[in-house]
Amino acid sequence: HAIVMLNTNQLLVLSLTSNDLLKQDDIGANVLSDPFHRSGPGSISKITGMDVCIRKPLVATCGLDRSVRVWNYMDNRCEVTKFFPEEAHSVAFHPSGLHVLVGFSDKLRLMNLLMDDLRTAKEFPIKSCRECQFANGGHLFAAVNGNTIQVFNTYTCECIRTMRGHNGKVRSLFWSANDSQLVSAGMDGAVYQWDLKENKRDGEYVKKGCNYSSALSSKAGDAIFAAGNDNMLREVEFPVSVVTKEIDCQAVLSQLVMSNSQRMLFGATAANGRPGVVRSFKFPLTGDFCDYACLAGPITRLRLSWEDQFLFVAGDDGVLQVFEVREKDSRAPAAGGGATAAGSIEVSGSQSLQYSEEILVTKSDLEEKHALMLELKSKVDELTLHNEYQLRLKDMNYNEKIKELTEKFTQELEQDKNRYELLREEKNDLEMEYAEKIKHVEDRHQERLQEMESTYQGKIM
């Protein structure tokens, strides 16, 4: 066998047996892997956005190759791939798995995820949106528009909040567990915690000269973890804005993710010209960590599945890598997180929720399928009537043939019976004739025997 790599970053397996080589026009090729993000302008295959669905085992990625891809990490296959005329810079997955938010160079688009397609439902006038994120409940989503953050209602597409305060571009968005607060971090060195109800800042931490790339909060909302280009990972107590812990990572961390169990914290390095590394910090933070080398270039996105079972890594090299996460200690998973059996999500204690299998289907598709079904049904009915008519014709034809053959063999049988009777009569006549002849011969023989006896008797006397 030979393994062939295409320019779409797809692997094929070719059979090199002598029989297959003789078939020049029909050489069997089997797909070894789905195509990854291919090289875009300037031979760059960078993945710019990634997000994980809560209710389905799906992860969405977008890249500079102008494609958006939806992967099933349970089946290890790409379910949907669609190319667009504009480059995609960010993507967010709705918790239901039915909608995808993609930030393109020209607009921000809310799209419906169908069985085999992505269709635009609403466009927003936000150019080159680098960060967008759905709320945990899915009813809201936040998008970065330069230095401002806009919050929209998912179902009415109405802008309900516009939050201003950053002096530089916003590079990170994070929703609190109850969706009442939003954490943002930007290139101006500011980390803000926003109160959505009051549309104001609850807390802030500013470090001049530091470009923050990622920030997140604990479930309680009293601690913020932020990482920037100064190689430092900071834990800031909010709302008092006091740095409680500061760890020198000796590398620039581009992404931070925390498990729902609040027992794991992961970071990703983004050093130019060096391989990307996933860093697992001991939590609560002590300064200890373990590194896991994975990608050939800087890591651009890092996500953790809702049940804390899989860690997804994407980078400049266009590769999406999946790690299985296992805790070293024997502590039981906390409520709302922890590893569960494949195909289910732990929601509270011992309860688990199966992955959703529902999909979106448009009315036009349903009508088209319905029309096709009616057309096929009418064809089936026509073919059934035609087949029944043909069967009746064949039955009539075969019945005629059977009738003809029956009459023919009946006549032949009668003729054979008559011939049999004639032959039997001839046999009886011949038997009677030969019986008379035999009797006549015996009588003559007896007479001659008596004559001879009398003759020889006379001679003896």
Side-chain angles (χ1 to χ4, degrees):
H1 294 83
I3 298 178
V4 181
M5 184 175 181
L6 307 181
N7 60 355
T8 60
N9 292 345
Q10 186 176 17
L11 296 179
L12 299 179
V13 178
L14 298 178
S15 177
L16 298 181
T17 60
S18 58
N19 294 332
D20 292 331
L21 291 176
L22 295 176
K23 303 176 183 177
Q24 297 182 0
D25 298 332
D26 187 19
I27 298 179
N30 297 320
V31 177
L32 184 61
S33 67
D34 290 312
F36 296 107
H37 287 273
R38 65 183 69 177
S39 297
S43 300
I44 299 175
S45 56
K46 178 180 179 179
I47 295 178
T48 55
M50 178 177 66
D51 200 13
V52 182
C53 178
I54 294 177
R55 290 288 288 112
K56 294 182 179 181
L58 301 177
V59 56
T61 59
C62 65
L64 296 182
D65 61 349
R66 300 177 179 177
S67 72
V68 178
R69 302 168 191 260
V70 179
W71 309 82
N72 188 316
Y73 56 83
M74 286 298 183
D75 297 337
N76 294 325
R77 62 185 178 88
C78 184
E79 292 197 347
V80 178
T81 299
K82 188 167 183 178
F83 287 88
F84 297 88
E86 300 289 337
E87 294 179 352
H89 301 282
S90 61
V91 64
F93 223 139
H94 192 270
S96 66
L98 302 178
H99 313 286
V100 176
L101 189 65
V102 185
F104 291 97
S105 298
D106 57 344
K107 291 181 180 179
L108 175 70
R109 291 179 173 88
L110 178 63
M111 316 184 82
N112 292 328
L113 176 60
L114 307 181
M115 182 185 298
D116 54 358
D117 194 15
L118 284 168
R119 295 191 184 177
T120 302
K122 180 69 176 178
E123 294 182 344
F124 304 91
I126 301 177
K127 294 183 178 181
S128 300
C129 178
R130 303 284 178 174
E131 293 292 331
C132 57
Q133 196 72 37
F134 277 104
N136 296 310
H139 58 299
L140 302 173
F141 67 84
V144 172
N145 189 0
N147 299 349
T148 63
I149 303 169
Q150 293 178 281
V151 180
F152 296 85
N153 186 301
T154 302
Y155 302 105
T156 64
C157 299
E158 175 188 3
C159 181
I160 60 174
R161 293 286 185 272
T162 299
M163 292 172 285
R164 297 179 175 88
H166 284 281
N167 296 322
K169 293 183 178 180
V170 180
R171 282 290 177 259
S172 176
L173 292 176
F174 183 84
W175 287 90
S176 63
N178 58 2
D179 294 333
S180 64
Q181 294 175 323
L182 187 66
V183 176
S184 64
M187 299 181 68
D188 56 352
V191 178
Y192 295 144
Q193 187 177 50
W194 304 88
D195 187 330
L196 294 180
K197 185 177 180 179
E198 302 294 335
N199 194 21
K200 66 177 184 178
R201 291 199 297 261
D202 268 352
E204 62 181 60
Y205 173 77
V206 180
K207 180 70 173 178
K208 294 295 183 180
C210 177
N211 296 336
Y212 283 108
S213 57
S214 183
L216 51 85
S217 69
S218 61
K219 275 191 175 182
D222 56 354
I224 301 292
F225 301 88
N229 63 351
D230 60 351
N231 298 349
M232 304 300 292
L233 171 62
R234 295 180 176 89
E235 180 180 348
V236 184
E237 183 181 349
F238 269 59
V240 296
S241 303
V242 176
V243 177
T244 57
K245 292 179 183 178
E246 197 171 40
I247 298 173
D248 185 4
C249 299
Q250 300 177 358
V252 176
L253 298 183
S254 61
Q255 294 283 294
L256 292 175
V257 292
M258 182 181 290
S259 65
N260 286 313
S261 64
Q262 302 288 288
R263 293 202 302 267
M264 294 179 287
L265 180 66
F266 297 95
T269 64
N272 291 325
R274 299 184 63 182
V277 174
V278 172
R279 181 162 294 179
S280 175
F281 291 93
K282 189 173 182 180
F283 198 80
L285 293 176
T286 61
D288 297 331
F289 56 81
C290 293
D291 284 345
Y292 301 91
C294 51
L295 302 184
I299 296 174
T300 56
R301 297 289 175 175
L302 191 66
R303 291 291 184 272
L304 195 62
S305 61
W306 182 258
E307 71 279 9
D308 299 338
Q309 191 173 359
F310 298 100
L311 180 68
F312 304 91
V313 186
D316 278 355
D317 55 0
V319 174
L320 170 62
Q321 193 166 32
V322 184
F323 286 92
E324 184 178 358
V325 180
R326 298 178 182 176
E327 295 191 51
K328 290 184 177 180
D329 55 18
S330 59
R331 292 177 295 179
T340 61
S344 64
I345 310 168
E346 184 177 328
V347 291
S348 63
S350 60
Q351 298 180 3
S352 62
L353 183 65
Q354 294 297 319
Y355 283 126
S356 173
E357 296 182 354
E358 291 78 14
I359 59 172
L360 280 183
V361 180
T362 63
K363 185 179 180 181
S364 60
D365 286 344
L366 282 178
E367 291 175 348
E368 183 181 349
K369 297 292 184 183
H370 185 64
L372 181 61
M373 287 176 62
L374 291 178
E375 181 182 354
L376 293 175
K377 185 177 179 182
S378 63
K379 287 184 178 180
V380 169
D381 293 338
E382 291 177 4
L383 290 174
T384 302
L385 292 174
H386 179 72
N387 290 336
E388 290 178 352
Y389 176 70
Q390 293 294 327
L391 286 174
R392 284 197 298 269
L393 288 180
K394 289 183 178 181
D395 287 341
M396 293 173 61
N397 187 21
Y398 288 133
N399 287 333
E400 290 293 332
K401 288 185 178 181
I402 290 173
K403 185 177 179 182
E404 292 176 1
L405 291 174
T406 302
E407 292 177 353
K408 177 183 177 182
F409 288 118
T410 301
Q411 292 176 0
E412 292 181 355
L413 183 61
E414 291 295 331
Q415 292 176 359
D416 290 339
K417 284 182 179 180
N418 294 334
R419 190 179 298 112
Y420 173 75
E421 291 296 332
L422 290 175
L423 291 174
R424 190 174 64 177
E425 290 178 359
E426 290 180 2
K427 172 179 172 291
N428 292 336
D429 292 342
L430 289 173
E431 285 180 350
M432 292 175 62
E433 180 182 353
Y434 283 109
E436 290 179 357
K437 287 182 179 180
I438 290 173
K439 185 177 180 183
H440 180 67
V441 171
E442 288 180 349
D443 291 342
R444 288 182 60 189
H445 175 69
Q446 191 66 27
E447 290 176 359
R448 289 184 64 185
L449 182 59
Q450 290 178 358
E451 289 178 358
M452 290 179 67
E453 283 182 355
S454 60
T455 302
Y456 284 110
Q457 191 68 31
K459 287 181 180 183
I460 294 172
M461 294 299 294

